[in-house]
Amino acid sequence: LKMGEVLDWYERAIVADPTHVDARYNMGKVLQELGRTAEAAESYKKVLEVEGTHAEATLNLGNLNFEAGLYEPARVWFTKVADLPHASRNTKEMALNNLGNLYRTVDLHDMAEVAFARAWEVSG
């Protein structure tokens, strides 16, 4: 399938069921891959409107903000993922590593160390 066809499929699924979290999340991933970051962010935010603690959508919002140089919103999203009790170990580890990289980027090396240490602890 071409990306346009995939997007059409997800759009049809969302029209049929506006609360279809997987379709919205996967649509966000495809839009992100296509570089349509604003649309991807909207798709992830709509996921969170339906399922407010969706760890992967939250992580991806952090990633989009980080890549755009929006460090404070990225920090908030990464921290939310790290604090979600049901988030998978892998998702929490990625959020904490990304948080460490964010702190390193803005020269907050002590905080980066803490985030990387937490990621190490989570990784088991």
Side-chain angles (χ1 to χ4, degrees):
L1 291 174
K2 295 179 183 176
M3 291 295 213
E5 293 171 345
V6 172
L7 285 175
D8 288 343
W9 186 89
Y10 288 133
E11 286 173 6
R12 285 194 303 275
I14 291 165
V15 166
D17 179 4
T19 65
H20 196 301
V21 170
D22 291 336
R24 286 195 184 280
Y25 174 72
N26 289 326
M27 185 170 179
K29 286 176 54 175
V30 171
L31 290 165
Q32 190 171 355
E33 282 182 37
L34 292 172
R36 294 165 57 181
T37 57
E39 293 170 272
E42 280 305 308
S43 190
Y44 295 138
K45 287 176 183 174
K46 287 181 180 176
V47 167
L48 294 177
E49 288 175 12
V50 176
E51 186 181 312
T53 59
H54 192 285
E56 291 79 11
T58 306
L59 176 65
N60 286 345
L61 281 166
N63 292 336
L64 287 171
N65 280 275
F66 182 70
E67 291 165 8
L70 301 170
Y71 299 131
E72 180 55 21
R75 183 197 65 76
V76 170
W77 291 118
F78 293 148
T79 301
K80 281 184 182 184
V81 175
D83 293 339
L84 287 173
H86 73 279
S88 72
R89 181 185 315 177
N90 184 52
T91 302
K92 282 187 178 195
E93 182 183 356
M94 284 189 288
L96 288 164
N97 274 317
N98 292 352
L99 185 60
N101 286 325
L102 182 152
Y103 285 139
R104 193 174 54 191
T105 298
V106 296
D107 293 324
L108 295 172
H109 299 287
D110 290 345
M111 293 177 80
E113 266 186 58
V114 171
F116 289 134
R118 281 187 66 200
W120 178 255
E121 287 173 17
V122 167
S123 71

